[in-house]
Amino acid sequence: MVTVGELGAVLAAVLPSIGVGLVFWFVVRALVQADRRERLALARLDAEDRARREAERRTVLDEGRPQDEPRTGDDDVAEGPRAQE
């Protein structure tokens, strides 16, 4: 039979290992969740960027410009707030 003193010694020997194991588990879990959120955010940004580029491509095609003609910075400036002055 295990006495109270022996049980205390066993717990004193095992609890630090269990504590370190739990801390390790929480840290790894947080890292995995952060990575998952980062990948979702990047995928969302990539999808928005693809949609924006597709919309720009369609706008260029609708305006009658050849698709391979590069856009100049002058196009964007003319549409800004100073163009109304």
Side-chain angles (χ1 to χ4, degrees):
M1 184 174 279
V2 179
T3 64
V4 174
E6 292 172 347
L7 183 61
V10 169
L11 287 177
V14 173
L15 284 179
S17 298
I18 292 172
V20 168
L22 285 173
V23 168
F24 177 77
W25 181 77
F26 280 114
V27 168
V28 170
R29 181 174 176 252
L31 287 172
V32 169
Q33 288 178 347
D35 181 59
R36 183 181 321 136
R37 286 189 301 266
E38 180 74 16
R39 288 175 187 260
L40 287 172
L42 286 174
R44 190 176 311 124
L45 287 173
D46 286 343
E48 290 172 2
D49 190 42
R50 277 192 305 275
R52 181 187 50 79
R53 278 188 269 129
E54 180 64 22
E56 286 178 359
R57 187 186 70 81
R58 286 184 181 167
T59 301
V60 168
L61 291 176
D62 290 344
E63 290 176 355
R65 265 188 253 175
Q67 185 175 0
D68 58 341
E69 181 180 323
R71 292 188 70 163
T72 63
D74 297 337
D75 295 339
D76 296 333
V77 173
E79 297 172 2
R82 292 186 184 200
Q84 298 171 358
E85 292 177 0

